[in-house]
PDB file of all heavy atoms in Angstrom:
ATOM      1  N   ASP A 127      41.480  18.823  20.725  1.00 87.00           N
ATOM      2  CA  ASP A 127      42.507  18.565  21.734  1.00 87.00           C
ATOM      3  C   ASP A 127      41.942  17.844  22.952  1.00 87.00           C
ATOM      4  O   ASP A 127      42.694  17.398  23.800  1.00 87.00           O
ATOM      5  CB  ASP A 127      43.160  19.872  22.184  1.00 87.00           C
ATOM      6  CG  ASP A 127      44.027  20.467  21.086  1.00 87.00           C
ATOM      7  OD1 ASP A 127      44.533  19.691  20.251  1.00 87.00           O
ATOM      8  OD2 ASP A 127      44.177  21.699  21.065  1.00 87.00           O
ATOM      9  N   LYS A 128      40.637  17.803  23.068  1.00 86.00           N
ATOM     10  CA  LYS A 128      39.997  17.136  24.195  1.00 86.00           C
ATOM     11  C   LYS A 128      38.888  16.232  23.664  1.00 86.00           C
ATOM     12  O   LYS A 128      38.535  16.294  22.490  1.00 86.00           O
ATOM     13  CB  LYS A 128      39.443  18.162  25.182  1.00 86.00           C
ATOM     14  CG  LYS A 128      38.415  19.084  24.573  1.00 86.00           C
ATOM     15  CD  LYS A 128      37.930  20.106  25.559  1.00 86.00           C
ATOM     16  CE  LYS A 128      36.888  20.968  24.819  1.00 86.00           C
ATOM     17  NZ  LYS A 128      35.983  21.629  25.601  1.00 86.00           N
ATOM     18  N   ILE A 129      38.331  15.411  24.540  1.00 86.00           N
ATOM     19  CA  ILE A 129      37.268  14.491  24.158  1.00 86.00           C
ATOM     20  C   ILE A 129      36.080  15.288  23.613  1.00 86.00           C
ATOM     21  O   ILE A 129      35.676  16.282  24.205  1.00 86.00           O
ATOM     22  CB  ILE A 129      36.812  13.640  25.365  1.00 86.00           C
ATOM     23  CG1 ILE A 129      37.966  12.808  25.902  1.00 86.00           C
ATOM     24  CG2 ILE A 129      35.623  12.760  25.013  1.00 86.00           C
ATOM     25  CD1 ILE A 129      38.452  11.741  24.964  1.00 86.00           C
ATOM     26  N   SER A 130      35.528  14.839  22.508  1.00 87.00           N
ATOM     27  CA  SER A 130      34.373  15.495  21.910  1.00 87.00           C
ATOM     28  C   SER A 130      33.170  15.412  22.848  1.00 87.00           C
ATOM     29  O   SER A 130      32.972  14.405  23.534  1.00 87.00           O
ATOM     30  CB  SER A 130      34.035  14.810  20.583  1.00 87.00           C
ATOM     31  OG  SER A 130      32.809  15.282  20.078  1.00 87.00           O
ATOM     32  N   GLY A 131      32.359  16.449  22.865  1.00 84.00           N
ATOM     33  CA  GLY A 131      31.156  16.455  23.688  1.00 84.00           C
ATOM     34  C   GLY A 131      30.201  15.324  23.336  1.00 84.00           C
ATOM     35  O   GLY A 131      29.454  14.842  24.179  1.00 84.00           O
ATOM     36  N   THR A 132      30.246  14.870  22.084  1.00 84.00           N
ATOM     37  CA  THR A 132      29.369  13.762  21.672  1.00 84.00           C
ATOM     38  C   THR A 132      29.850  12.421  22.211  1.00 84.00           C
ATOM     39  O   THR A 132      29.135  11.436  22.120  1.00 84.00           O
ATOM     40  CB  THR A 132      29.270  13.677  20.146  1.00 84.00           C
ATOM     41  OG1 THR A 132      30.584  13.502  19.605  1.00 84.00           O
ATOM     42  CG2 THR A 132      28.640  14.930  19.563  1.00 84.00           C
ATOM     43  N   ARG A 133      31.067  12.375  22.748  1.00 85.00           N
ATOM     44  CA  ARG A 133      31.627  11.137  23.302  1.00 85.00           C
ATOM     45  C   ARG A 133      31.899  11.252  24.797  1.00 85.00           C
ATOM     46  O   ARG A 133      32.584  10.433  25.377  1.00 85.00           O
ATOM     47  CB  ARG A 133      32.953  10.795  22.601  1.00 85.00           C
ATOM     48  CG  ARG A 133      32.873  10.660  21.103  1.00 85.00           C
ATOM     49  CD  ARG A 133      32.082   9.419  20.714  1.00 85.00           C
ATOM     50  NE  ARG A 133      32.116   9.199  19.294  1.00 85.00           N
ATOM     51  CZ  ARG A 133      32.810   8.251  18.696  1.00 85.00           C
ATOM     52  NH1 ARG A 133      33.531   7.426  19.397  1.00 85.00           N
ATOM     53  NH2 ARG A 133      32.784   8.122  17.394  1.00 85.00           N
ATOM     54  N   PHE A 134      31.378  12.286  25.445  1.00 85.00           N
ATOM     55  CA  PHE A 134      31.731  12.605  26.822  1.00 85.00           C
ATOM     56  C   PHE A 134      31.049  11.705  27.837  1.00 85.00           C
ATOM     57  O   PHE A 134      31.575  11.455  28.901  1.00 85.00           O
ATOM     58  CB  PHE A 134      31.385  14.074  27.098  1.00 85.00           C
ATOM     59  CG  PHE A 134      32.051  14.640  28.310  1.00 85.00           C
ATOM     60  CD1 PHE A 134      33.424  14.849  28.333  1.00 85.00           C
ATOM     61  CD2 PHE A 134      31.326  14.959  29.439  1.00 85.00           C
ATOM     62  CE1 PHE A 134      34.050  15.377  29.446  1.00 85.00           C
ATOM     63  CE2 PHE A 134      31.937  15.485  30.562  1.00 85.00           C
ATOM     64  CZ  PHE A 134      33.306  15.687  30.556  1.00 85.00           C
ATOM     65  N   PHE A 135      29.848  11.203  27.544  1.00 87.00           N
ATOM     66  CA  PHE A 135      29.095  10.386  28.489  1.00 87.00           C
ATOM     67  C   PHE A 135      29.311   8.918  28.139  1.00 87.00           C
ATOM     68  O   PHE A 135      28.566   8.309  27.370  1.00 87.00           O
ATOM     69  CB  PHE A 135      27.617  10.791  28.501  1.00 87.00           C
ATOM     70  CG  PHE A 135      27.449  12.185  29.007  1.00 87.00           C
ATOM     71  CD1 PHE A 135      27.357  13.257  28.138  1.00 87.00           C
ATOM     72  CD2 PHE A 135      27.438  12.442  30.364  1.00 87.00           C
ATOM     73  CE1 PHE A 135      27.243  14.549  28.602  1.00 87.00           C
ATOM     74  CE2 PHE A 135      27.321  13.735  30.853  1.00 87.00           C
ATOM     75  CZ  PHE A 135      27.223  14.795  29.968  1.00 87.00           C
ATOM     76  N   CYS A 136      30.344   8.340  28.709  1.00 88.00           N
ATOM     77  CA  CYS A 136      30.859   7.016  28.352  1.00 88.00           C
ATOM     78  C   CYS A 136      29.803   5.909  28.378  1.00 88.00           C
ATOM     79  O   CYS A 136      29.793   5.041  27.514  1.00 88.00           O
ATOM     80  CB  CYS A 136      32.005   6.633  29.277  1.00 88.00           C
ATOM     81  SG  CYS A 136      33.280   7.898  29.367  1.00 88.00           S
ATOM     82  N   THR A 137      28.931   5.935  29.387  1.00 86.00           N
ATOM     83  CA  THR A 137      27.988   4.824  29.546  1.00 86.00           C
ATOM     84  C   THR A 137      26.847   4.854  28.541  1.00 86.00           C
ATOM     85  O   THR A 137      25.958   4.009  28.591  1.00 86.00           O
ATOM     86  CB  THR A 137      27.430   4.766  30.976  1.00 86.00           C
ATOM     87  OG1 THR A 137      26.859   6.041  31.295  1.00 86.00           O
ATOM     88  CG2 THR A 137      28.523   4.415  31.970  1.00 86.00           C
ATOM     89  N   GLN A 138      26.862   5.795  27.605  1.00 87.00           N
ATOM     90  CA  GLN A 138      25.914   5.719  26.500  1.00 87.00           C
ATOM     91  C   GLN A 138      26.291   4.546  25.597  1.00 87.00           C
ATOM     92  O   GLN A 138      25.425   3.970  24.952  1.00 87.00           O
ATOM     93  CB  GLN A 138      25.921   7.005  25.680  1.00 87.00           C
ATOM     94  CG  GLN A 138      25.235   8.153  26.361  1.00 87.00           C
ATOM     95  CD  GLN A 138      25.207   9.396  25.491  1.00 87.00           C
ATOM     96  OE1 GLN A 138      25.334  10.469  26.010  1.00 87.00           O
ATOM     97  NE2 GLN A 138      25.059   9.255  24.201  1.00 87.00           N
ATOM     98  N   CYS A 139      27.558   4.192  25.558  1.00 88.00           N
ATOM     99  CA  CYS A 139      28.028   3.091  24.695  1.00 88.00           C
ATOM    100  C   CYS A 139      28.719   1.985  25.484  1.00 88.00           C
ATOM    101  O   CYS A 139      28.596   0.816  25.139  1.00 88.00           O
ATOM    102  CB  CYS A 139      29.004   3.626  23.655  1.00 88.00           C
ATOM    103  SG  CYS A 139      28.296   4.858  22.556  1.00 88.00           S
ATOM    104  N   HIS A 140      29.474   2.347  26.502  1.00 89.00           N
ATOM    105  CA  HIS A 140      30.246   1.375  27.271  1.00 89.00           C
ATOM    106  C   HIS A 140      29.481   1.000  28.545  1.00 89.00           C
ATOM    107  O   HIS A 140      28.979   1.877  29.235  1.00 89.00           O
ATOM    108  CB  HIS A 140      31.610   1.960  27.643  1.00 89.00           C
ATOM    109  CG  HIS A 140      32.383   2.417  26.454  1.00 89.00           C
ATOM    110  ND1 HIS A 140      33.149   1.562  25.703  1.00 89.00           N
ATOM    111  CD2 HIS A 140      32.500   3.637  25.881  1.00 89.00           C
ATOM    112  CE1 HIS A 140      33.709   2.242  24.719  1.00 89.00           C
ATOM    113  NE2 HIS A 140      33.328   3.509  24.799  1.00 89.00           N
ATOM    114  N   VAL A 141      29.427  -0.289  28.843  1.00 85.00           N
ATOM    115  CA  VAL A 141      28.700  -0.760  30.030  1.00 85.00           C
ATOM    116  C   VAL A 141      29.563  -1.727  30.820  1.00 85.00           C
ATOM    117  O   VAL A 141      30.414  -2.416  30.267  1.00 85.00           O
ATOM    118  CB  VAL A 141      27.381  -1.461  29.639  1.00 85.00           C
ATOM    119  CG1 VAL A 141      26.426  -0.482  28.987  1.00 85.00           C
ATOM    120  CG2 VAL A 141      27.639  -2.640  28.725  1.00 85.00           C
ATOM    121  N   PRO A 142      29.344  -1.790  32.146  1.00 83.00           N
ATOM    122  CA  PRO A 142      30.051  -2.793  32.939  1.00 83.00           C
ATOM    123  C   PRO A 142      29.493  -4.179  32.639  1.00 83.00           C
ATOM    124  O   PRO A 142      28.337  -4.311  32.231  1.00 83.00           O
ATOM    125  CB  PRO A 142      29.761  -2.410  34.387  1.00 83.00           C
ATOM    126  CG  PRO A 142      28.912  -1.208  34.352  1.00 83.00           C
ATOM    127  CD  PRO A 142      28.550  -0.910  32.945  1.00 83.00           C
ATOM    128  N   GLN A 143      30.293  -5.192  32.829  1.00 78.00           N
ATOM    129  CA  GLN A 143      29.860  -6.573  32.597  1.00 78.00           C
ATOM    130  C   GLN A 143      29.655  -7.250  33.937  1.00 78.00           C
ATOM    131  O   GLN A 143      30.506  -7.182  34.800  1.00 78.00           O
ATOM    132  CB  GLN A 143      30.918  -7.338  31.797  1.00 78.00           C
ATOM    133  CG  GLN A 143      30.560  -8.755  31.490  1.00 78.00           C
ATOM    134  CD  GLN A 143      29.375  -8.868  30.548  1.00 78.00           C
ATOM    135  OE1 GLN A 143      29.279  -8.141  29.589  1.00 78.00           O
ATOM    136  NE2 GLN A 143      28.479  -9.767  30.835  1.00 78.00           N
ATOM    137  N   LEU A 144      28.508  -7.890  34.105  1.00 72.00           N
ATOM    138  CA  LEU A 144      28.216  -8.614  35.338  1.00 72.00           C
ATOM    139  C   LEU A 144      28.090 -10.097  35.062  1.00 72.00           C
ATOM    140  O   LEU A 144      27.648 -10.505  33.995  1.00 72.00           O
ATOM    141  CB  LEU A 144      26.907  -8.125  35.960  1.00 72.00           C
ATOM    142  CG  LEU A 144      26.868  -6.686  36.426  1.00 72.00           C
ATOM    143  CD1 LEU A 144      25.488  -6.346  36.956  1.00 72.00           C
ATOM    144  CD2 LEU A 144      27.906  -6.441  37.492  1.00 72.00           C
ATOM    145  N   ASP A 145      28.461 -10.891  36.035  1.00 67.00           N
ATOM    146  CA  ASP A 145      28.258 -12.331  35.955  1.00 67.00           C
ATOM    147  C   ASP A 145      26.902 -12.614  36.586  1.00 67.00           C
ATOM    148  O   ASP A 145      26.810 -13.016  37.732  1.00 67.00           O
ATOM    149  CB  ASP A 145      29.384 -13.063  36.694  1.00 67.00           C
ATOM    150  CG  ASP A 145      29.273 -14.566  36.539  1.00 67.00           C
ATOM    151  OD1 ASP A 145      28.545 -15.021  35.636  1.00 67.00           O
ATOM    152  OD2 ASP A 145      29.901 -15.279  37.328  1.00 67.00           O
ATOM    153  N   ALA A 146      25.835 -12.331  35.851  1.00 71.00           N
ATOM    154  CA  ALA A 146      24.474 -12.451  36.377  1.00 71.00           C
ATOM    155  C   ALA A 146      23.691 -13.485  35.575  1.00 71.00           C
ATOM    156  O   ALA A 146      23.955 -13.693  34.391  1.00 71.00           O
ATOM    157  CB  ALA A 146      23.772 -11.109  36.301  1.00 71.00           C
ATOM    158  N   LYS A 147      22.730 -14.085  36.222  1.00 75.00           N
ATOM    159  CA  LYS A 147      21.852 -15.041  35.552  1.00 75.00           C
ATOM    160  C   LYS A 147      21.026 -14.278  34.508  1.00 75.00           C
ATOM    161  O   LYS A 147      20.456 -13.232  34.811  1.00 75.00           O
ATOM    162  CB  LYS A 147      20.938 -15.694  36.587  1.00 75.00           C
ATOM    163  CG  LYS A 147      19.964 -16.669  36.017  1.00 75.00           C
ATOM    164  CD  LYS A 147      19.035 -17.199  37.098  1.00 75.00           C
ATOM    165  CE  LYS A 147      17.870 -17.904  36.434  1.00 75.00           C
ATOM    166  NZ  LYS A 147      16.715 -17.979  37.294  1.00 75.00           N
ATOM    167  N   PRO A 148      20.927 -14.780  33.280  1.00 78.00           N
ATOM    168  CA  PRO A 148      20.137 -14.091  32.254  1.00 78.00           C
ATOM    169  C   PRO A 148      18.665 -14.003  32.661  1.00 78.00           C
ATOM    170  O   PRO A 148      18.127 -14.917  33.283  1.00 78.00           O
ATOM    171  CB  PRO A 148      20.288 -14.970  31.013  1.00 78.00           C
ATOM    172  CG  PRO A 148      21.451 -15.855  31.274  1.00 78.00           C
ATOM    173  CD  PRO A 148      21.568 -15.982  32.767  1.00 78.00           C
ATOM    174  N   LEU A 149      18.017 -12.899  32.299  1.00 81.00           N
ATOM    175  CA  LEU A 149      16.606 -12.728  32.607  1.00 81.00           C
ATOM    176  C   LEU A 149      15.738 -13.648  31.747  1.00 81.00           C
ATOM    177  O   LEU A 149      14.700 -14.117  32.177  1.00 81.00           O
ATOM    178  CB  LEU A 149      16.184 -11.280  32.377  1.00 81.00           C
ATOM    179  CG  LEU A 149      16.833 -10.259  33.296  1.00 81.00           C
ATOM    180  CD1 LEU A 149      16.450  -8.847  32.882  1.00 81.00           C
ATOM    181  CD2 LEU A 149      16.434 -10.518  34.739  1.00 81.00           C
ATOM    182  N   VAL A 150      16.165 -13.868  30.512  1.00 86.00           N
ATOM    183  CA  VAL A 150      15.452 -14.771  29.606  1.00 86.00           C
ATOM    184  C   VAL A 150      16.479 -15.661  28.920  1.00 86.00           C
ATOM    185  O   VAL A 150      17.641 -15.302  28.777  1.00 86.00           O
ATOM    186  CB  VAL A 150      14.638 -13.996  28.541  1.00 86.00           C
ATOM    187  CG1 VAL A 150      13.510 -13.206  29.163  1.00 86.00           C
ATOM    188  CG2 VAL A 150      15.522 -13.088  27.728  1.00 86.00           C
ATOM    189  N   SER A 151      16.051 -16.841  28.494  1.00 87.00           N
ATOM    190  CA  SER A 151      16.991 -17.740  27.825  1.00 87.00           C
ATOM    191  C   SER A 151      17.327 -17.203  26.438  1.00 87.00           C
ATOM    192  O   SER A 151      16.527 -16.513  25.814  1.00 87.00           O
ATOM    193  CB  SER A 151      16.402 -19.144  27.725  1.00 87.00           C
ATOM    194  OG  SER A 151      15.222 -19.113  26.958  1.00 87.00           O
ATOM    195  N   SER A 152      18.522 -17.512  25.973  1.00 85.00           N
ATOM    196  CA  SER A 152      18.973 -17.012  24.682  1.00 85.00           C
ATOM    197  C   SER A 152      19.944 -18.010  24.061  1.00 85.00           C
ATOM    198  O   SER A 152      20.713 -18.656  24.767  1.00 85.00           O
ATOM    199  CB  SER A 152      19.680 -15.671  24.869  1.00 85.00           C
ATOM    200  OG  SER A 152      20.275 -15.253  23.658  1.00 85.00           O
ATOM    201  N   THR A 153      19.907 -18.107  22.753  1.00 86.00           N
ATOM    202  CA  THR A 153      20.851 -18.969  22.036  1.00 86.00           C
ATOM    203  C   THR A 153      21.904 -18.132  21.314  1.00 86.00           C
ATOM    204  O   THR A 153      22.590 -18.622  20.439  1.00 86.00           O
ATOM    205  CB  THR A 153      20.107 -19.854  21.006  1.00 86.00           C
ATOM    206  OG1 THR A 153      19.398 -18.992  20.092  1.00 86.00           O
ATOM    207  CG2 THR A 153      19.140 -20.795  21.711  1.00 86.00           C
ATOM    208  N   PHE A 154      22.017 -16.842  21.714  1.00 81.00           N
ATOM    209  CA  PHE A 154      22.966 -15.931  21.070  1.00 81.00           C
ATOM    210  C   PHE A 154      24.392 -16.459  21.210  1.00 81.00           C
ATOM    211  O   PHE A 154      24.788 -16.943  22.255  1.00 81.00           O
ATOM    212  CB  PHE A 154      22.881 -14.545  21.709  1.00 81.00           C
ATOM    213  CG  PHE A 154      23.909 -13.586  21.175  1.00 81.00           C
ATOM    214  CD1 PHE A 154      23.703 -12.934  19.976  1.00 81.00           C
ATOM    215  CD2 PHE A 154      25.086 -13.351  21.863  1.00 81.00           C
ATOM    216  CE1 PHE A 154      24.649 -12.055  19.473  1.00 81.00           C
ATOM    217  CE2 PHE A 154      26.039 -12.477  21.380  1.00 81.00           C
ATOM    218  CZ  PHE A 154      25.811 -11.829  20.177  1.00 81.00           C
ATOM    219  N   GLN A 155      25.142 -16.379  20.120  1.00 78.00           N
ATOM    220  CA  GLN A 155      26.570 -16.698  20.136  1.00 78.00           C
ATOM    221  C   GLN A 155      27.306 -15.465  19.646  1.00 78.00           C
ATOM    222  O   GLN A 155      26.901 -14.848  18.658  1.00 78.00           O
ATOM    223  CB  GLN A 155      26.871 -17.874  19.201  1.00 78.00           C
ATOM    224  CG  GLN A 155      26.285 -19.184  19.657  1.00 78.00           C
ATOM    225  CD  GLN A 155      26.631 -20.290  18.667  1.00 78.00           C
ATOM    226  OE1 GLN A 155      26.428 -20.143  17.479  1.00 78.00           O
ATOM    227  NE2 GLN A 155      27.172 -21.367  19.182  1.00 78.00           N
ATOM    228  N   ASN A 156      28.393 -15.136  20.339  1.00 76.00           N
ATOM    229  CA  ASN A 156      29.110 -13.944  19.879  1.00 76.00           C
ATOM    230  C   ASN A 156      29.874 -14.256  18.596  1.00 76.00           C
ATOM    231  O   ASN A 156      29.967 -15.397  18.168  1.00 76.00           O
ATOM    232  CB  ASN A 156      30.000 -13.349  20.970  1.00 76.00           C
ATOM    233  CG  ASN A 156      31.224 -14.184  21.266  1.00 76.00           C
ATOM    234  OD1 ASN A 156      31.795 -14.812  20.383  1.00 76.00           O
ATOM    235  ND2 ASN A 156      31.642 -14.169  22.512  1.00 76.00           N
TER     236      ASN A 156
END
Side-chain angles (χ1 to χ4, degrees):
D127 290 333
K128 60 182 180 157
I129 299 293
S130 171
T132 58
R133 303 291 186 107
F134 197 69
F135 295 96
C136 308
T137 55
Q138 286 183 217
C139 299
H140 304 276
V141 295
Q143 181 66 42
L144 296 177
D145 185 16
K147 178 184 166 202
L149 295 174
V150 294
S151 61
S152 172
T153 58
F154 175 81
Q155 293 180 309
N156 72 34

